[in-house]
């Protein structure tokens, strides 16, 4: 009798296990299409990203043959500066797109991010005008930097909106469009104006503009619904800015520190006494950057879209599962790369790139942390304690700078040390997500969602 009562209270049909098994089969069957859809979306996104990279390779090879090295050095500075500033353009407000599945809240966050981005670009334009007036920068360079920054910011905004809505095809296609158009424009401009740095700046700006135009056209129906004139009001934007004030105060510094950590090894290259090792490290980072970008490009949209659809305990459960899966996937991917590099090193003996495979293997540990951190940091934005991200990234960046000062020279030991620091930083983020991830404080308790939707 006691067992019977206990099983009834547990909602287990006593004496009828077949019904329980049938319910379990139905539970699994309902989720198989979603799992297959997520898997197919991941594969499609990965293939499109690989396709985009392969398409762009030929243009870079030809441009490398036509342009002197200092031109590429100037372009690297231009591109890095534009990427760094574009992180701050939206004040990381695009991260709040994934805090719940309410489309009214998505629209409010989208309008706030768009308004902040427009104001940031206006302020940047004023700064660039001042730099041009004082002779610090050429007018043409300032103009194309502003165009490239605006296009990058718009892409970041539209990518986040498309990710929140699950349109992974649009994200993949925009990468392909840029990869097809930008190298062609670059080669055409080199033929017209010659192999100049400004030529590469123009190609970069136009490539990002066309990619943003494609994505805007693809998502125009959704974007128009989010930015209708009747939905705008100063009061709703002010309330939203107060509500999501943790984005510029915590998420933005965390993102900038993470970017600084990722490029920190490059800062030591100009001071290297071993020129061969410096060149090998630069090439290794270039080679490892592609799988790192592919890992983030495939995982971040799927993880964020999945997290946006969950709430409460289910969100915490899926965050933990995804954290373990991301770490395991990165370890397998970059361990395989390290093994292949060590094997391929046998064919480089006697060449100028001898021991390159060993350097790639040593840097693989560093890139395990870099690859995993991108999606983990996006997941951590859903926490009520966003300043932990700032603390973790600041400590890690300080540790890597201290390691460089301690060794005072490029060496295999330094590469092992920065790899260990990178992995420890990732584990710190994983532990934070495991223990402290919770639903953010949403406006459902005070009625802001209804007021924002009404406005």
């Amino acid at each position: 009798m006691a067992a019977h009562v206990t099983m009834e209270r547990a909602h287990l049909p006593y004496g009828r296990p077949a019904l329980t098994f049938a319910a379990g089969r139905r539970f699994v069957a309902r989720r198989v299409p979603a799992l297959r859809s997520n898997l197919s979306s991941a594969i499609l996104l990965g293939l499109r990203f690989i396709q985009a990279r392969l398409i762009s390779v030929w243009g870079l090879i030809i441009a490398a043959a036509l342009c002197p090295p200092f031109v590429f050095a100037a372009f690297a500075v231009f591109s890095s500066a534009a990427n760094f500033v574009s992180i701050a353009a939206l004040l990381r407000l695009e991260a709040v797109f994934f805090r719940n599945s309410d489309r009214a809240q998505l629209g409010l966050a989208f309008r706030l991010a768009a308004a902040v981005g427009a104001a940031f670009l206006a302020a940047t334009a004023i700064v660039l005008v001042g730099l041009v007036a004082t002779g610090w920068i050429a007018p043409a360079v300032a103009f194309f930097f502003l165009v490239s920054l605006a296009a990058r910011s718009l892409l970041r905004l539209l990518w986040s909106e498309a990710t929140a809505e699950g349109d992974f095809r649009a994200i993949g296609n925009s990468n392909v469009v840029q990869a097809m158009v930008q190298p062609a424009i670059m080669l055409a401009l080199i033929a017209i104006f010659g192999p100049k740095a400004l030529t590469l700046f123009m190609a970069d700006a136009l490539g990002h503009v066309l990619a943003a135009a494609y994505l805007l056209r693809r998502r125009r129906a959704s974007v128009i619904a989010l930015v209708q004139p009747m939905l705008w009001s100063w009061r709703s934007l002010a309330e939203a800015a107060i509500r999501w004030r943790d984005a510029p105060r915590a998420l933005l510094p965390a993102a900038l520190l993470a970017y600084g950590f990722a490029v920190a090894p490059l800062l030591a290259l100009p001071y290297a006494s071993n020129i061969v090792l410096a060149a090998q490290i630069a090439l290794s980072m270039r080679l490892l950057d592609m799988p790192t970008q592919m890992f983030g490009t495939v995982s971040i949209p799927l993880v964020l879209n999945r997290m946006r659809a969950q709430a409460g305990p289910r969100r915490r459960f899926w965050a933990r599962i995804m954290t373990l899966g991301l770490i395991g996937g990165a370890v397998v991917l970059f361990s395989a790369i390290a093994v292949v590099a060590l094997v391929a090193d046998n064919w480089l003996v006697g060449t100028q790139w001898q021991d390159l495979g060993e350097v790639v293997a040593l840097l693989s540990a560093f890139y395990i942390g870099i690859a995993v951190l991108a999606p983990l940091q996006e997941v951590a934005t859903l926490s009520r304690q966003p300043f932990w991200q700032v603390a973790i990234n600041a400590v890690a960046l300080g540790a890597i700078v201290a390691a460089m000062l301690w060794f005072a020279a490029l060496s295999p030991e330094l590469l092992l040390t920065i790899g260990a620091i990178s992995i420890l930083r990732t584990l710190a983020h994983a532990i934070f997500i495991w223990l402290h991830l919770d639903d953010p404080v949403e406006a459902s308790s005070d009625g802001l969602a209804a007021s924002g939707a009404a406005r």
Side-chain angles (χ1 to χ4, degrees), residues 51-74:
Q51 179 186 10
R53 288 301 178 196
L54 293 177
I55 291 173
S56 63
V57 164
W58 66 269
L60 291 176
I61 293 176
I62 297 176
L66 298 176
C67 297
F70 73 88
V71 169
F72 277 94

Side-chain angles (χ1 to χ4, degrees), residues 354-423:
Q354 182 175 338
D355 299 326
L356 176 64
E358 181 180 352
V359 176
V360 171
L362 291 173
L363 280 173
S364 294
F366 178 75
Y367 275 90
I368 288 175
I370 298 297
V372 176
L373 185 76
L376 289 190
Q377 187 160 266
E378 297 296 339
V379 172
T381 60
L382 303 173
S383 170
R384 292 180 179 179
Q385 306 176 47
F387 286 98
W388 276 100
Q389 288 191 68
V390 182
I392 293 173
N393 288 336
V395 170
L397 182 58
I400 200 173
V401 172
M404 292 178 181
L405 295 175
W406 175 266
F407 286 98
L410 289 177
S411 64
E413 292 77 15
L414 175 60
L415 298 184
L416 284 174
T417 302
I418 67 174
I421 294 172
S422 179
I423 291 176

